[in-house]
Amino acid sequence: MLQIILAILAFGALVVVHEFGHFITAKRGGVQVNEFWIGMGPTLLSKDWHGTKYCLKLLPFGGACVMEGEDGESESAHSFGKAKLRRRMLIVVAGALMNFLVGFLLVLAIMRPNGPDGGYIVSTVDSVSPQSTAAAEGGLAAGDTILKVDGYHILQREDFETALARGADTTYEVVVRRDGQRVTLPAVKMEASIEGEDGRKLIGINFAEQKATLGMRLNLSVRASVNYARLVWSSLGQLVTGKVGVDQLSGPVGVAEVMADTAKYSMASFFNLVAFISINLGVMNLLPLPALDGGRLVFLLLEGIRRKPVPAKYEGWVHAAGLVLLLALMVYVTGQDIFRIVTRG
């Protein structure tokens, strides 16, 4: 039960962080914020302060930043529509930027050395086993920093296995940085043919360990955060192309269940998952879809191109239609989550 409560609070906090991004950017830009909520549902506590009504709601997830003139016309000089275009764009994307920032800070906080000597294992080749003659014959050598495998960017050491799994066979085009130059190795054969001490089959490539400095920790945290965003984008691509079905999506119920299960296993893994979800929320909200921040940004970009805003009623219709479809999708995936939990239990 404690893990479930923790998961719900963590998920709710990420939504509040998102809304706080809109809130602080609007406030700093002189846009009137009428209400700021923490939670959803009936109001438990409320207080008016500096022109904004702050509300604590009953349900501990969700939140909202309600700006003057955000979804309609307003004559107030401090309404959202009266702000400069660049300011409005910044307000719209600020929620996603806050999610990216929080995700990065969480990754940075839990980043720990993973090498046997207390350093970080990186994607630079330390040595190629004499038994791995195929890799050596393909041109891979000690000191090479692997940048791409069959076009897949290697941002961190863990990406190497992911890249190999994407290949159709065991021969890959590998791009490395060697002595400051990019070198393309067109045919590197990497086959798990060497038997390790524990009986596992190994490729025979050993990766270097670098000293655990603050700079290295920051570098790897940025790379891990970008990797999470790439994973979300890749998953969306699989959804669009039909490789992943809509029935495999999870809503808040499914996400909370996974978070609770992860918390039982390890708090470090839990916060790593929270970081991933935070970055996920940032990416999803910037998609150019109606009712999402990305959809609002599209209309602002159109305003910049046309030199005049799209009539509010038309934009309102598009966002309303998008919201209906989004809510329908949420009801569907939540139903799928509940069905999976009930049938599994």
Side-chain angles (χ1 to χ4, degrees), residues 52-210:
T52 300
K53 183 178 182 180
Y54 297 88
C55 301
L56 178 64
K57 302 286 187 173
L58 175 63
L59 303 177
F61 49 83
C65 173
V66 183
M67 292 175 281
E68 176 68 24
E70 179 182 5
D71 294 314
E73 299 289 343
S74 174
E75 297 303 319
S76 171
H78 297 288
S79 68
F80 178 79
K82 294 294 193 300
K84 292 182 178 180
L85 180 61
R86 285 179 296 178
R87 172 60 62 177
R88 282 180 281 149
M89 287 182 173
L90 181 58
I91 292 171
V92 166
V93 302
L97 293 179
M98 281 295 291
N99 282 132
F100 291 142
L101 176 61
V102 168
F104 164 73
L105 291 176
L106 285 171
V107 170
L108 179 63
I110 62 178
M111 178 67 67
R112 293 291 182 271
N114 58 352
D117 297 324
Y120 293 104
I121 303 297
V122 295
S123 57
T124 299
V125 177
D126 184 60
S127 64
V128 178
S129 172
Q131 297 172 277
S132 184
T133 55
E137 289 171 358
L140 198 63
D144 289 345
T145 298
I146 299 177
L147 304 178
K148 292 182 183 180
V149 175
D150 277 356
Y152 188 79
H153 289 270
I154 307 300
L155 298 176
Q156 53 187 358
R157 162 66 183 86
E158 291 77 9
D159 293 338
F160 184 67
E161 279 79 12
T162 303
L164 296 187
R166 290 163 53 94
D169 53 32
T170 57
T171 301
Y172 306 84
E173 179 186 83
V174 180
V175 179
V176 302
R177 184 169 59 245
R178 178 182 295 170
D179 299 326
Q181 302 294 320
R182 290 171 68 96
V183 178
T184 299
L185 309 175
V188 180
K189 190 173 183 62
M190 290 184 280
E191 190 173 20
S193 57
I194 303 172
E195 187 168 338
E197 295 180 357
D198 57 358
R200 292 185 301 128
K201 294 294 185 179
L202 305 175
I203 295 173
I205 298 173
N206 303 308
F207 288 91
E209 180 178 348
Q210 292 193 7

Side-chain angles (χ1 to χ4, degrees), residues 88-333:
R88 282 180 281 149
M89 287 182 173
L90 181 58
I91 292 171
V92 166
V93 302
L97 293 179
M98 281 295 291
N99 282 132
F100 291 142
L101 176 61
V102 168
F104 164 73
L105 291 176
L106 285 171
V107 170
L108 179 63
I110 62 178
M111 178 67 67
R112 293 291 182 271
N114 58 352
D117 297 324
Y120 293 104
I121 303 297
V122 295
S123 57
T124 299
V125 177
D126 184 60
S127 64
V128 178
S129 172
Q131 297 172 277
S132 184
T133 55
E137 289 171 358
L140 198 63
D144 289 345
T145 298
I146 299 177
L147 304 178
K148 292 182 183 180
V149 175
D150 277 356
Y152 188 79
H153 289 270
I154 307 300
L155 298 176
Q156 53 187 358
R157 162 66 183 86
E158 291 77 9
D159 293 338
F160 184 67
E161 279 79 12
T162 303
L164 296 187
R166 290 163 53 94
D169 53 32
T170 57
T171 301
Y172 306 84
E173 179 186 83
V174 180
V175 179
V176 302
R177 184 169 59 245
R178 178 182 295 170
D179 299 326
Q181 302 294 320
R182 290 171 68 96
V183 178
T184 299
L185 309 175
V188 180
K189 190 173 183 62
M190 290 184 280
E191 190 173 20
S193 57
I194 303 172
E195 187 168 338
E197 295 180 357
D198 57 358
R200 292 185 301 128
K201 294 294 185 179
L202 305 175
I203 295 173
I205 298 173
N206 303 308
F207 288 91
E209 180 178 348
Q210 292 193 7
K211 189 176 180 180
T213 63
L214 177 59
M216 179 57 63
R217 185 174 181 176
L218 286 168
N219 182 293
L220 292 177
S221 296
V222 170
R223 288 171 176 267
S225 300
V226 173
N227 222 12
Y228 283 158
R230 176 172 63 173
L231 179 58
V232 175
W233 191 252
S234 175
S235 299
L236 287 171
Q238 291 179 335
L239 182 64
V240 172
T241 57
K243 294 180 179 179
V244 174
V246 179
D247 59 334
Q248 295 179 330
L249 295 177
S250 286
V253 173
V255 171
E257 184 192 19
V258 172
M259 292 173 75
D261 289 341
T262 306
K264 294 176 186 177
Y265 170 71
S266 161
M267 289 309 297
S269 298
F270 172 77
F271 284 112
N272 197 42
L273 178 60
V274 174
F276 171 73
I277 294 172
S278 186
I279 293 171
N280 190 323
L281 286 174
V283 173
M284 296 296 289
N285 269 282
L286 288 181
L287 292 177
L289 300 176
L292 298 179
D293 293 337
R296 294 181 181 275
L297 185 60
V298 167
F299 278 97
L300 293 176
L301 291 172
L302 287 174
E303 179 180 337
I305 295 171
R306 298 172 70 244
R307 303 292 181 181
K308 61 180 181 178
V310 175
K313 64 177 181 179
Y314 298 133
E315 182 177 353
W317 292 345
V318 171
H319 289 316
L323 182 60
V324 170
L325 293 175
L326 183 62
L327 290 175
L329 178 62
M330 289 296 293
V331 170
Y332 173 77
V333 297

